[in-house]
């Protein structure tokens, strides 16, 4: 074994960074044996230097992250700060000063992955980011390496633990959205401002990264269609239950049947209880991958948290250090297909539409005609008279597969019918 240690600069020492430092220290001998050289924590860049950080030599702590990555003797920079800046500038500087980079930064990778990969390649360095998607779950490297000989056609994932916790709570207790969110906040699953999670921004960044890697193309954050899950109601869950389904916030990346384009989207959807993703409970994540040769694969585990995320970071650190010792680099950017990303209107799926209608002769025929006029084929219809005696009924229509554009046209026309008092909910049905 080489005795000269590989030097690691840690940028950020919060929930994830402190776990990275802890594991580097407590597992030092094993890491050295697996890599073939010791790894040394050479510096830790933080915002608040006065905070006591157990197990970290205060002499390593600095507030000058730029100076740390510019030192010139750093082999690997581990970035666990998050956000776009200063993370982007620091990673860029790290590459320019001879370091490889391990990052957990989904927002940055989704927005600027192409430029960062290009710079890494130009400098002959590694850029690894297993922790950016679904925490501890090995997913990026399986897609980049294990499945590199296959053709991935679809990635369907629960990639946000906070929203899965909330939806699972609504499903299992009948709670409304706000009540379930309050519990998620009290238990520390949801942030004080839960917008990034509940509005699907976090999942959309992960979808962009997954789609790009899975289909060897460029998918940016702006290419991902996004709907949050704040409008999902207890009534939607009751309806899903009647259909033998549950509701999940899904990140869905698909290659078109003709192979000429891809789509990426995040939205709540009904999935059958028989689908493996339906059994993903609490704050867990899972990603279901469909490929030509392997068939169906499911990756499951904790998608967030200090130690689980640090596990993914450490795995990357070992891989990057091994590459460094052998004078090689790992897989770089593989966006060679340059497939266009189709707009949401071209996505084809099934829909569950809940309407409040007048309960009188001819209404069902009127509604069915609107679907027919827009080329949307109805699979099932369920009508339920209201108990309030107001001459209204709930009509639940489930369609066969139709394009999002046709469905939107249908809903617009339905809203214009005098007999349709309201469109209570529209939800896509996936995983069938
Ligand atoms: N906030 C995310 C989640 C974890 O709830 O899954 C970090 O991406």
């Amino acid at each position: 074994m080489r005795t000269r240690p590989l030097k690691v600069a840690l940028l950020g020492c919060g929930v994830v960074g402190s776990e990275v430092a802890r594991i580097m220290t407590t597992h030092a001998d094993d890491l050295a044996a697996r890599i073939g050289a010791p790894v040394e924590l050479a510096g830790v860049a933080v915002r608040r230097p006065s905070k006591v950080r157990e197990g970290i030599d205060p002499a390593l702590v600095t507030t000058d992250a730029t100076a740390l990555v510019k030192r010139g003797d750093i082999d690997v920079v581990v970035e666990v700060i998050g956000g776009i800046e200063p993370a982007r500038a620091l990673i860029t500087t790290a590459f320019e000063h001879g370091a490889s980079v391990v990052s957990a930064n989904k927002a940055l990778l989704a927005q600027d992955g192409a430029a960062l990969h290009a710079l890494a390649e130009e400098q002959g360095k590694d850029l690894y980011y297993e922790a950016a998607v679904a925490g501890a779950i090995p997913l990026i490297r399986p897609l980049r390496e294990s499945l590199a000989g296959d053709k991935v056609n679809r990635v369907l994932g629960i990639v946000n633990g906070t929203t899965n916790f909330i939806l699972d709570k609504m499903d299992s207790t009948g709670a409304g959205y706000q009540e379930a969110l309050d519990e998620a906040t009290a238990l520390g699953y949801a942030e004080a401002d839960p917008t990034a999670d509940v509005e699907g921004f976090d999942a959309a960044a992960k979808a962009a990264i997954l789609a790009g890697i899975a289909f060897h193309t460029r998918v940016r954050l702006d290419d991902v269609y996004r709907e949050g899950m704040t409008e999902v109601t207890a009534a939607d869950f009751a309806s899903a239950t009647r259909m033998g389904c549950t509701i999940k916030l899904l990140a869905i990346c698909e290659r078109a049947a003709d192979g000429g384009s891809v789509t990426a989207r995040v939205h709540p959807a009904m999935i059958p209880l028989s689908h493996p993703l339906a059994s993903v409970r609490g704050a867990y994540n899972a990603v279901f991958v469909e490929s030509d040769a392997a068939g169906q694969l499911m990756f499951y585990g904790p998608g967030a948290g200090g130690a689980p995320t640090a596990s993914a970071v450490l795995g990357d650190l070992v891989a990057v250090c091994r590459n460094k010792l052998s004078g090689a680099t790992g897989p770089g950017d593989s966006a060679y297909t340059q497939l266009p990303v189709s707009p949401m209107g071209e996505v084809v799926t099934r829909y569950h539409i809940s309407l409040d209608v007048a309960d009188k002769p001819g209404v069902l025929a009127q509604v069915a005609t609107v679907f027919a006029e827009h080329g949307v084929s109805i699979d099932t219809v369920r009508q339920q008279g209201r108990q309030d005696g107001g001459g209204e009924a709930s009509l639940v229509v489930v369609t066969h597969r139709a394009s999002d554009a046709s469905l939107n046209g249908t809903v617009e026309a339905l809203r214009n019918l005098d007999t349709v008092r309201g469109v209570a909910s529209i939800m896509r049905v996936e995983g069938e």
Side-chain angles (χ1 to χ4, degrees):
M1 190 192 308
R2 169 180 127 146
T3 49
R4 189 158 54 82
L6 290 157
K7 293 193 176 176
V8 176
L10 180 60
L11 309 183
C13 198
V15 176
V16 176
S18 56
E19 281 298 313
V20 170
R22 182 186 65 78
I23 298 171
M24 280 184 69
T25 307
T26 55
H27 295 190
D29 292 345
D30 285 326
L31 291 172
R34 291 169 197 171
I35 291 166
V39 273
E40 175 191 311
L41 195 54
V44 182
V46 302
R47 259 187 316 187
R48 284 177 295 141
S50 52
K51 191 175 154 191
V52 177
R53 294 178 172 85
E54 207 183 312
I56 294 180
D57 179 355
L60 297 178
V61 175
T62 174
T63 52
D64 194 345
T66 306
L68 178 59
V69 298
K70 275 185 172 174
R71 261 171 53 166
D73 64 340
I74 301 295
D75 297 291
V76 187
V77 168
V78 172
E79 182 269 311
V80 286
I81 304 172
I84 304 300
E85 291 294 357
R88 175 170 47 196
L90 291 168
I91 290 176
T92 301
T93 307
F95 283 135
E96 289 166 352
H97 286 78
S100 283
V101 172
V102 172
S103 172
N105 194 328
K106 64 201 161 240
L108 183 57
L109 266 301
Q111 185 178 304
D112 282 328
L116 295 176
H117 269 298
L119 184 58
E121 194 171 331
E122 194 183 299
Q123 300 289 336
K125 301 296 170 203
D126 274 328
L127 172 60
Y128 276 49
Y129 44 93
E130 185 64 70
V133 180
I137 306 175
L139 190 58
I140 302 294
R141 271 194 281 147
L143 284 170
R144 281 174 102 183
E145 299 181 38
S146 318
L147 289 166
D150 204 339
K151 181 183 178 199
V152 176
N153 296 311
R154 196 161 192 244
V155 178
L156 192 65
I158 296 169
V159 292
N160 184 272
T162 306
T163 48
N164 201 58
F165 178 90
I166 294 169
L167 291 170
D168 186 31
K169 193 50 71 180
M170 291 174 75
D171 193 15
S172 58
T173 66
Y177 165 72
Q178 191 58 50
E179 193 186 334
L181 171 63
D182 289 346
E183 185 170 348
T185 310
L187 292 173
Y189 289 115
E191 310 256 348
D193 176 1
T195 310
D197 293 320
V198 301
E199 295 296 353
F201 291 102
D202 174 82
K206 294 166 180 170
I209 296 170
L210 289 177
I213 298 172
F215 307 135
H216 301 273
T217 193
R218 187 77 62 223
V219 179
R220 293 181 182 82
L221 186 53
D222 290 348
D223 296 322
V224 181
Y225 173 83
R226 179 194 53 78
E227 265 176 43
M229 43 71 75
T230 57
E231 316 259 291
V232 177
T233 62
D236 290 327
F237 271 103
S239 212
T241 304
R242 273 196 291 271
M243 284 179 58
C245 288
T246 186
I247 299 169
K248 297 291 187 188
L249 183 73
L250 296 179
I252 304 172
C253 313
E254 288 173 311
R255 188 194 291 277
D258 68 4
S261 61
V262 299
T263 53
R265 54 195 162 111
V266 168
H267 54 70
M270 293 187 183
I271 54 166
L273 292 173
S274 56
H275 193 283
L277 288 176
S279 58
V280 177
R281 312 297 303 266
Y284 277 85
N285 283 193
V287 178
F288 195 73
V289 176
E290 297 173 8
S291 70
D292 269 1
Q296 299 181 329
L297 303 161
M298 176 130 132
F299 301 84
Y300 172 87
T309 308
S311 165
V313 170
L314 265 295
D316 278 355
L317 180 63
V318 169
V320 169
C321 288
R322 284 173 176 160
N323 291 343
K324 166 99 187 171
L325 289 185
S326 63
T329 51
D333 198 9
S334 179
Y336 66 90
T337 61
Q338 297 182 13
L339 293 171
V341 184
S342 299
M344 188 60 190
E346 290 177 26
V347 165
V348 172
T349 189
R350 298 178 68 208
Y351 297 85
H352 173 285
I353 302 131
S354 185
L355 305 169
D356 295 328
V357 298
D359 193 4
K360 60 184 189 185
V363 172
L364 189 56
Q366 253 185 355
V367 166
T369 302
V370 170
F371 278 86
E373 282 169 355
H374 290 83
V376 179
S377 178
I378 293 173
D379 180 22
T380 60
V381 180
R382 191 181 68 242
Q383 179 172 331
Q384 201 173 315
R386 292 264 192 84
Q387 305 300 318
D388 53 20
E392 286 197 8
S394 291
L395 203 58
V396 174
V397 179
V398 180
T399 73
H400 286 296
R401 284 166 63 78
S403 72
D404 216 69
S406 310
L407 196 278
N408 283 337
T410 307
V411 171
E412 210 178 300
L414 287 170
R415 286 190 206 277
N416 289 332
L417 289 181
D418 287 344
T419 49
V420 173
R421 306 280 152 78
V423 179
S425 88
I426 305 167
M427 198 163 298
R428 298 173 184 89
V429 184
E430 304 286 342
E432 293 178 308

